[in-house]
Amino acid sequence: EENYAFIAELAQFVFGVASFISPLVYTWLIHALEPEVYQQGQNFLLDILAKVTPVTLPWVSLYWVFTALLLAMLLVVSFVHFPRIELKDDERSGSSSSYKKLFRQKYVWLFFLGIFCYVSTEQGVSIFMSTFLEQYHGIDPKTVGAQSISYFWGSMTVGCLFGMFLLKLIDSKRLLQISGLLSMSLLLIALFGSAKVAVCAFPAIVLLLSALFGSKGIALIAFPAVGFSISMMYSIVFSLALNTVAQNHGSFAGILCSGIVGGAGGPLFVSLLSDTTSLRIGMLLILVFMGYITFIGFWAHPLVNNKTVSLKELVGFKNKNKILK
């Protein structure tokens, strides 16, 4: 229980790495399989994909890559011997009565809505980012737009690394409050800033590079970016939820996982609002999602807080001093 937020953040890190790589692979395949660019015999992988991909639909090649990855994953999992896990009674998926009992609790719906809002935020920003940059700043969605999406997920990956570190030092509720307020500020900068600021406000990696090599004004305005700042939200909300109850954790986890439907519902709401107004106004709905997640950081009262240590203990200074003595 006390390490759940950290472990969930580690899982989010792996997710972020794959999401960072995927748009880059997409951009490369789209370019490499263009009739004017592709040359048979230059690349074995491209030759295979060219045979099974329609010339006019180069993006279909990505689905063949996904298929190969899925087969590889099934093969690896079939040979890995996972240790047998004995679930506690409160970790098992309970009977219908346990679900009925949970559904009568207000905090269950509040945390479910928190997961819904987080996934709505994550997918809402990543899905509409490229379209927004194209509509308001004339940026090509197939090149710079796709790269911006990749940088968004890359910044989330970097944020997860920082999150795993910070969760060992700071209370998770406080981190959720900070990341929520920061995310809302960055989203506003991204939506109402100039083209250069908008591109940088979404991906933190671009901002980190600008901080190192110049354009300090941009880094100060938009750093550390939406992807970076929301990276800790999911693991913290999920952890706070499970640590709020003393029993029926298995059933409650199932209810929380159902909140992932926000990945479909959130963008739908943004789209509906955008159709009647504008994309900029529609994406302001994500601000509401972020605001609710931030609100959780103030009212949540978990039975078990995330385990924290001092900075000296984390980096090993304390143990080193003992050895020296």
Side-chain angles (χ1 to χ4, degrees):
E1 294 88 347
E2 62 187 9
N3 293 312
Y4 185 86
F6 175 83
I7 296 171
E9 187 72 358
L10 178 61
Q12 188 78 346
F13 167 75
V14 177
F15 170 75
V17 171
S19 300
F20 168 66
I21 295 174
S22 183
L24 297 179
V25 175
Y26 165 79
T27 303
W28 175 71
L29 287 175
I30 289 291
H31 175 72
L33 291 175
E34 287 182 355
E36 301 81 8
V37 178
Y38 170 68
Q39 293 182 357
Q40 189 174 1
Q42 298 293 322
N43 187 299
F44 178 72
L45 175 61
L46 289 177
D47 290 342
I48 295 176
L49 291 174
K51 292 179 181 179
V52 295
T53 302
V55 177
T56 57
L57 302 174
W59 52 268
V60 173
S61 60
L62 193 63
Y63 287 91
W64 288 109
V65 174
F66 291 158
T67 302
L69 290 173
L70 285 170
L71 291 174
M73 181 177 67
L74 290 173
L75 187 64
V76 171
V77 171
S78 65
F79 284 101
V80 173
H81 297 285
F82 293 98
R84 184 176 180 83
I85 298 176
E86 296 294 337
L87 296 176
K88 301 176 183 178
D89 291 336
D90 67 310
E91 293 174 336
R92 302 178 188 275
S93 180
S95 61
S96 58
S97 60
S98 67
Y99 285 99
K100 291 178 182 178
K101 181 180 179 181
L102 286 170
F103 285 138
R104 288 195 291 267
Q105 304 296 324
K106 180 176 67 174
Y107 64 82
V108 172
W109 293 102
L110 292 174
F111 279 116
F112 171 85
L113 185 58
I115 298 297
F116 182 97
C117 286
Y118 169 77
V119 185
S120 297
T121 297
E122 177 190 275
Q123 296 301 314
V125 175
S126 63
I127 288 173
F128 295 104
M129 180 197 317
S130 182
T131 305
F132 178 87
L133 293 173
E134 179 187 19
Q135 286 189 12
Y136 291 91
H137 304 297
I139 292 174
D140 184 4
K142 292 183 179 180
T143 55
V144 179
Q147 290 174 356
S148 296
I149 296 173
S150 176
Y151 292 148
F152 168 80
W153 293 111
S155 67
M156 180 177 289
T157 304
V158 176
C160 287
L161 288 174
F162 277 88
M164 286 186 284
F165 178 78
L166 293 174
L167 282 168
K168 289 296 184 181
L169 299 173
I170 305 174
D171 181 71
S172 60
K173 287 178 57 179
R174 180 60 56 85
L175 280 179
L176 188 61
Q177 297 167 12
I178 295 172
S179 64
L181 295 172
L182 186 59
S183 298
M184 289 188 286
S185 301
L186 289 168
L187 181 63
L188 289 172
I189 293 172
L191 293 178
F192 295 96
S194 63
K196 196 172 185 180
V197 172
V199 172
C200 291
F202 285 118
I205 289 180
V206 175
L207 289 169
L208 290 172
L209 291 175
S210 66
L212 291 172
F213 301 106
S215 303
K216 293 183 179 180
I218 297 176
L220 290 174
I221 293 174
F223 181 87
V226 175
F228 185 93
S229 60
I230 69 172
S231 60
M232 295 175 282
M233 287 181 173
Y234 178 83
S235 58
I236 292 177
V237 172
F238 212 102
S239 175
L240 288 174
L242 292 181
N243 288 335
T244 299
V245 299
Q247 56 186 356
N248 297 321
H249 291 104
S251 300
F252 191 18
I255 295 173
L256 292 173
C257 286
S258 300
I260 298 174
V261 73
L268 173 63
F269 298 146
V270 173
S271 296
L272 293 174
L273 182 58
S274 299
D275 289 341
T276 57
T277 55
S278 67
L279 181 57
R280 176 175 278 141
I281 298 301
M283 291 188 71
L284 284 176
L285 184 60
I286 300 175
L287 204 67
V288 178
F289 299 148
M290 290 179 174
Y292 181 79
I293 298 170
T294 307
F295 173 62
I296 292 177
F298 288 95
W299 63 257
H301 296 287
L303 300 175
V304 180
N305 293 317
N306 62 301
K307 184 179 180 180
T308 59
V309 297
S310 67
L311 182 60
K312 289 184 178 180
E313 289 176 317
L314 185 62
V315 298
F317 287 161
K318 187 173 181 179
N319 293 330
K320 290 179 181 178
N321 289 335
K322 286 183 178 180
I323 293 174
L324 291 173
K325 289 179 180 179

